[in-house]
Amino acid sequence: MDLIVQPQRAPLRGIVPVPADKSITHRAILFAALADGTSRVVAESAGEDNRSTLAAIRALGVEAEVGASEMTISGRGLEGLREPAAPLDCGNSGTTMRLFAGVLAAQRFRSVLVGDESLSKRPMARVATPLRLRGARIEGRLDPKRPGDLTAPLEIGPLPAPHVLSEISYDLPIPTAQVKSALLLSGLWAAGATSVSEPLVSRDHTERMLSSLGVPIERVGSVVALDPAAFSGRLPAFEIKVPGDPSAAAFLVAAALLVPGSEVGVRSVGLNPTRTGFFDLVRLMGGQLAAQAHGDEVGEPFGEIAARHGGLVAVSAGGETVVRAIDEIPVLCALAARARGTTIIADARELRVKESDRIAAMATVLRAFGVACEEQPDGMVIEGNPDGPLRAATVDAASDHRIAMSAALLGLVADGESRVTGADSIATSFPRFAGTLRALGADVRAVSSG
Ligand code: S3P
């Protein structure tokens, strides 16, 4: 599928929903599978990544009824997962693969995790190494590109004698919620405590949700610890209405900031501070953005946000803000293209190992639209051009949903029709992206490739 984007002549206006938060939905499905009893997970227009997690719990013997926007999951308890008959296909979803690695490492059966072409290239030693340190058996393929690293397929278990994971105190070399979560989850079955420290705090959905389900999790600074001695050994069934995804909302906020005269609101967006770095950066760029918290859902704050077009200035982004905005850096690049001055993005080396090499992919997209930029090993320098339209372009999405959506936004402020080729991956996180932009007044159409 390709996206055809026309230059936007009229303001974008409206209040729209976004899909349920992808990270929280993954965890809700997995924790419901491990809980005792029937849980209800309401997740509006969840994408394909979340379907991979759902398929994985089913393959492990968990029954789930799936409606248009809600799932009823019959948890089998912490000791109830069954050996899967076939490899578990994680599709494009790194979160599925790494979180399940933590859970499966503690099981007495063997399982294999596979993924699509992109996921099969992503680094997995970061999760295998600490799990092995606590006694797990995990084998992967030697990474042909990164010596010493591993890639999927991952073959996990059965857990070798003494059949229980040991305690661990592990310093993550990089902030990563997926590996932190895998370690904490494996800790549910361990004989001793799990303590994970990160150089900067990554998204903390696992900690919040497990805590609200009664798991004894403590945080001191950037160290999180789970002590099984104080744990009942059971997760209660629960209900959650997953808040909207701030990472999807970022694209709508950006659309409003890019197109003159626009005013866009997004209903029910997750406002967990470990996820709001992009909104903070937008404010630093002079973008008009209001957020109002409404409440919280299983420990996750949510509220409404509204953005209005106005001139943007360049920003220097690095450190903890980049960790809290890691998935939004591609769309930040799109905003930087229209901000007055030179934007510098640093400390974002992790972008090189996401669904694509997002630094290289965004540099290619920006240049195609006539924006001057320079790649850095850990980020990018972008010369903003707020005056006059960008050059219309045909760009490839690099099989990456966030590159596809960022490129489409640049098309809104170009001087003619633009095309984003290979945009199917948008369905992994924001299946109704084009329709939502159309609801705001944009002319964005999906056509078959070719
Ligand atoms: C995620 C964590 C982040 C993020 C990804 C989702 C999660 O990855 O980029 O999209 O749900 O835990 P890392 O943990 O690899 O930084």
Side-chain angles (χ1 to χ4, degrees):
M1 181 268 275
D2 294 355
L3 281 185
I4 306 282
V5 184
Q6 303 298 337
Q8 189 59 27
R9 313 240 182 257
L12 299 173
R13 292 252 164 92
I15 301 177
V16 282
V18 284
D21 187 278
K22 182 158 76 75
S23 290
I24 298 175
T25 305
H26 282 305
R27 287 155 174 86
I29 296 170
L30 175 54
F31 301 170
L34 299 174
D36 286 327
T38 304
S39 295
R40 193 166 152 259
V41 178
V42 179
E44 300 286 345
S45 28
E48 284 168 6
D49 274 10
N50 289 145
R51 291 193 182 280
S52 297
T53 290
L54 187 65
I57 62 155
R58 283 174 155 163
L60 290 163
V62 177
E63 279 176 27
E65 271 175 44
V66 182
S69 62
E70 74 175 65
M71 294 164 252
T72 306
I73 297 171
S74 307
R76 294 180 56 87
L78 285 178
E79 303 307 329
L81 297 182
R82 290 210 202 110
E83 178 162 358
L88 303 174
D89 187 354
C90 304
N92 191 243
S93 174
T95 308
T96 307
M97 186 167 283
R98 296 194 181 112
L99 264 55
F100 275 81
V103 169
L104 296 171
Q107 310 301 318
R108 291 207 187 186
F109 53 77
R110 174 185 173 275
S111 39
V112 177
L113 295 173
V114 297
D116 71 4
E117 199 187 329
S118 147
L119 183 53
S120 302
K121 291 185 190 139
R122 295 181 64 185
M124 293 297 153
R126 56 179 61 193
V127 68
T129 301
L131 288 169
R132 281 172 176 167
L133 281 174
R134 70 189 319 185
R137 184 181 166 271
I138 304 192
E139 305 298 334
R141 270 204 353 228
L142 290 181
D143 189 329
K145 292 246 170 74
R146 288 173 299 260
D149 210 331
L150 291 179
T151 58
L154 295 181
E155 192 190 316
I156 305 182
L159 181 60
H163 307 304
V164 63
L165 295 172
S166 59
E167 67 180 308
I168 192 168
S169 177
Y170 192 71
D171 291 340
L172 284 168
I174 44 167
T176 152
Q178 294 175 353
V179 180
K180 172 177 61 176
S181 300
L183 281 171
L184 290 172
L185 287 168
S186 68
L188 292 173
W189 290 270
T194 303
S195 169
V196 189
S197 114
E198 301 184 275
L200 292 165
V201 179
S202 63
R203 65 191 65 191
D204 63 358
H205 305 302
T206 298
E207 299 90 300
R208 283 174 186 251
M209 211 183 292
L210 286 180
S211 280
S212 66
L213 296 177
V215 177
I217 292 217
E218 271 183 38
R219 144 157 292 153
V220 181
S222 59
V223 181
V224 191
L226 186 163
D227 181 3
F231 176 44
S232 66
R234 297 158 73 94
L235 294 179
F238 59 93
E239 290 204 2
I240 183 171
K241 181 171 184 334
V242 180
D245 198 329
S247 298
F251 291 101
L252 307 176
V253 165
L257 296 169
L258 288 170
V259 176
S262 298
E263 272 189 62
V264 171
V266 186
R267 279 185 217 119
S268 176
V269 181
L271 295 175
N272 177 324
T274 61
R275 294 287 298 283
T276 50
F278 172 77
F279 300 143
D280 295 341
L281 289 166
V282 159
R283 290 196 184 95
L284 281 175
M285 296 174 87
Q288 295 189 56
L289 179 67
Q292 171 130 39
H294 279 331
D296 75 274
E297 190 67 32
V298 192
E300 292 287 347
F302 67 93
E304 274 170 27
I305 56 172
R308 181 183 292 173
H309 176 263
L312 296 174
V313 291
V315 72
S316 278
E320 62 90 31
T321 321
V322 162
V323 176
R324 295 189 302 110
I326 195 69
D327 290 342
E328 289 68 71
I329 300 298
V331 65
L332 182 74
C333 292
L335 288 184
R338 301 297 281 170
R340 191 163 300 282
T342 306
T343 288
I344 300 171
I345 298 164
D347 302 327
R349 191 183 293 267
E350 272 297 292
L351 294 183
R352 299 244 178 233
V353 291
K354 294 290 180 189
E355 286 84 326
S356 69
D357 175 342
R358 287 183 171 160
I359 297 177
M362 272 319 289
T364 305
V365 167
L366 288 171
R367 288 190 190 115
F369 280 97
V371 180
C373 62
E374 199 186 298
E375 268 189 57
Q376 305 288 322
D378 69 341
M380 188 140 40
V381 178
I382 301 164
E383 300 299 335
N385 166 21
D387 309 312
L390 302 179
R391 181 174 74 205
T394 293
V395 290
D396 183 58
S399 307
D400 185 328
H401 52 137
R402 302 200 201 279
I403 302 299
M405 292 187 275
S406 304
L409 295 190
L410 289 167
L412 294 174
V413 288
D415 61 4
E417 178 177 292
S418 294
R419 180 184 276 254
V420 184
T421 62
D424 313 67
S425 57
I426 289 174
T428 62
S429 67
F430 199 165
R432 295 188 192 150
F433 172 71
T436 304
L437 281 178
R438 280 198 299 276
L440 294 170
D443 187 349
V444 177
R445 275 177 301 124
V447 297
S448 18
S449 304

